[in-house]
Amino acid sequence: MSSEGKKHGKKRPKSYYKKCANVKRKRLNILEGGLKGFIITCCDREKEATREAYSILNDYADKLYGPENFKTDAPNNGGEEKEDEDEDIEKAMTKEVGAIKETKSTERRFQRLESKTKNCIFIKTTLESPTELAEKLFQNLYDTKTQRSRYVMRLFPVEGTCKAVLDEIKKLGGNLFQKYFSTPYGEGMSFSIIFKARNNNNIGRDSIIPELSHLVTELNPAHTVEYDNPDCLIFVQVLCTICCISILKNFTKFKKYNLQEIAKNEQNCPSNEMQASDLKAETENLSKDQMQTDSVDVPDNIITTTNDNQTTNDNEITNDNETTNDKLKCSDTSEKQTNITENKEEVKETSMEKSDVNAIE
């Protein structure tokens, strides 16, 4: 064998390949702190729900902010296009490759991130206020009653994200609450706080809700807590290791930000008052005898007498029916006899007429 054939690399052991397989690669598009976006909930159809959420959000964002721009930061070489046409193909290709490397791709307006929770999708956005877009969306659906979603159930705008640690949550809440709860002194608002954790048992509502409510009352002591219909609802959602804070308005009006429930027509759904009036009308239409029999308790003696009377009445009715049937039978036989005699007389008359005709001939 030649010396060239012997110059081969040393064969690597199996431990090397096992080590490479166990290395955790950095995954892109993972939910992290310092983001804004939307939380989408669905029921087992995440791909279809994501596609549907993209179409809804892009539709309303184009109406509010205009269409999305896909321009890049590449330098414009419009004056050199004529010179490039005369150059060789290889030089033109090298220039195009260099221009592609220099361009910095812009972020999309809406991009899905991995939330590591089932039936819960996080879509980050580059918009400054996702709450504004969500309010416009739900107000339009509330006015038009149009069904826009088949797989998406709820849509919550997220004003900020951070790590699911108490200090980080307090810091984020203090920054967000100044925008919504810094009202003039004496003008209070009603608020409520809802906490929900998914795939996380290290933090609970008992430690989060008192701290956040204390931050709100520090901005203005006139703010009060209301659970039925608050002016602003603070929705804290923990997705694995990330905390998302949403500040929602008209929570009860927009059916808890449910895209499917808000599109239902309330006029077709009967209310409790209408159902009660219908029941009252039905009871009034009942006969008095039925109402008395249902309400009065009848003793046993009266029941036996009534049964005897019923038997006697039944016998009388049967006898009357038999007599009437006999009368009907007699009448039927008499009618048949009269019909037979009439037919015989007609036959005789016709025979007499024929004999008269023969005599005349």
Side-chain angles (χ1 to χ4, degrees):
M1 293 179 67
S2 63
S3 61
E4 294 179 356
K6 294 181 181 179
K7 291 180 181 179
H8 289 295
K10 192 176 181 180
K11 189 176 181 180
R12 292 170 178 172
K14 291 183 179 179
S15 60
Y16 172 79
Y17 297 102
K18 290 180 180 179
K19 185 179 179 181
C20 294
N22 293 327
V23 171
K24 293 182 179 180
R25 297 178 181 178
K26 187 178 180 180
R27 297 180 66 183
L28 300 175
N29 297 329
I30 297 176
L31 179 60
E32 56 187 7
L35 298 176
K36 295 181 179 180
F38 299 89
I39 290 177
I40 310 295
T41 61
C42 60
C43 186
D44 295 334
R45 305 291 291 271
E46 292 187 4
K47 290 183 179 179
E48 291 83 355
T50 304
R51 195 181 300 114
E52 193 174 68
Y54 277 149
S55 64
I56 294 171
L57 293 173
N58 283 315
D59 187 9
Y60 283 91
D62 292 341
K63 293 177 181 178
L64 291 175
Y65 310 106
E68 186 178 2
N69 294 323
F70 296 98
K71 294 181 181 180
T72 59
D73 298 333
N76 293 324
N77 296 324
E80 298 179 357
E81 289 180 357
K82 294 181 180 179
E83 296 179 359
D84 292 336
E85 292 176 359
D86 299 332
E87 292 179 356
D88 296 335
I89 298 173
E90 293 181 358
K91 292 182 180 180
M93 292 293 291
T94 54
K95 282 189 176 182
E96 288 180 2
V97 171
I100 291 170
K101 289 181 180 180
E102 290 178 358
T103 57
K104 295 179 181 178
S105 59
T106 57
E107 293 183 355
R108 298 296 300 271
R109 182 181 283 172
F110 302 106
Q111 181 64 43
R112 180 185 174 179
L113 301 181
E114 185 66 31
S115 63
K116 297 181 182 180
T117 54
K118 188 178 180 182
N119 297 330
C120 187
I121 304 164
F122 187 89
I123 297 177
K124 77 171 182 178
T125 182
T126 58
L127 300 176
E128 294 182 359
S129 179
T131 304
E132 182 182 359
L133 178 62
E135 288 177 359
K136 298 286 186 182
L137 189 154
F138 280 99
Q139 187 63 46
N140 187 10
L141 295 178
Y142 182 81
D143 295 335
T144 58
K145 299 296 181 183
T146 56
Q147 185 67 261
R148 291 294 305 271
S149 66
R150 181 179 177 185
Y151 304 103
V152 177
M153 296 179 66
R154 296 176 187 269
L155 186 146
F156 300 107
V158 177
E159 287 288 334
T161 61
C162 65
K163 291 184 179 180
V165 183
L166 182 59
D167 295 334
E168 295 290 333
I169 294 171
K170 288 171 63 178
K171 184 179 179 180
L172 178 61
N175 295 328
L176 294 177
F177 296 162
Q178 290 180 359
K179 179 181 177 181
Y180 294 93
F181 296 101
S182 59
T183 58
Y185 186 80
E187 296 181 3
M189 297 173 60
S190 60
F191 72 96
S192 179
I193 301 173
I194 296 176
F195 177 83
K196 188 169 186 178
R198 296 181 176 90
N199 299 339
N200 191 328
N201 296 324
N202 297 326
I203 194 166
R205 62 188 303 274
D206 295 333
S207 60
I208 296 297
I209 292 176
E211 295 293 337
L212 294 181
S213 62
H214 181 67
L215 292 174
V216 175
T217 54
E218 278 184 351
L219 295 173
N220 193 342
H223 297 320
T224 58
V225 178
E226 184 178 350
Y227 297 103
D228 295 331
N229 189 10
D231 296 330
C232 285
L233 185 134
I234 302 168
F235 198 2
V236 182
Q237 300 186 65
V238 177
L239 307 179
C240 198
T241 59
I242 302 298
C243 178
C244 306
I245 297 178
S246 305
I247 299 174
L248 310 175
K249 295 181 179 179
N250 298 320
F251 189 68
T252 56
K253 177 183 176 182
F254 294 153
K255 305 297 181 183
K256 299 181 180 179
Y257 280 63
N258 193 321
L259 291 171
Q260 297 178 1
E261 292 293 329
I262 197 172
K264 292 181 180 180
N265 193 357
E266 296 179 354
Q267 294 179 358
N268 296 329
C269 299
S271 61
N272 294 327
E273 294 179 356
M274 292 293 292
Q275 292 177 358
S277 63
D278 294 336
L279 290 172
K280 186 177 180 181
E282 289 178 359
T283 53
E284 288 178 354
N285 291 328
L286 292 174
S287 62
K288 294 181 180 180
D289 297 333
Q290 292 177 352
M291 296 293 289
Q292 291 176 357
T293 54
D294 292 334
S295 60
V296 178
D297 294 331
V298 182
D300 297 331
N301 296 325
I302 296 172
I303 291 170
T304 53
T305 55
T306 52
N307 289 327
D308 295 333
N309 292 323
Q310 285 179 357
T311 52
T312 54
N313 290 324
D314 292 334
N315 292 324
E316 291 177 357
I317 290 166
T318 51
N319 294 323
D320 293 334
N321 290 325
E322 288 176 357
T323 53
T324 52
N325 289 325
D326 294 333
K327 290 179 181 179
L328 290 171
K329 287 179 182 179
C330 295
S331 63
D332 291 334
T333 51
S334 62
E335 288 178 356
K336 288 180 181 179
Q337 289 177 358
T338 52
N339 290 326
I340 291 166
T341 53
E342 288 177 355
N343 291 326
K344 287 181 180 180
E345 289 176 355
E346 288 178 355
V347 170
K348 288 180 181 181
E349 289 177 356
T350 52
S351 62
M352 290 293 292
E353 288 177 355
K354 288 180 180 179
S355 63
D356 294 335
V357 170
N358 290 323
I360 291 166
E361 289 178 353

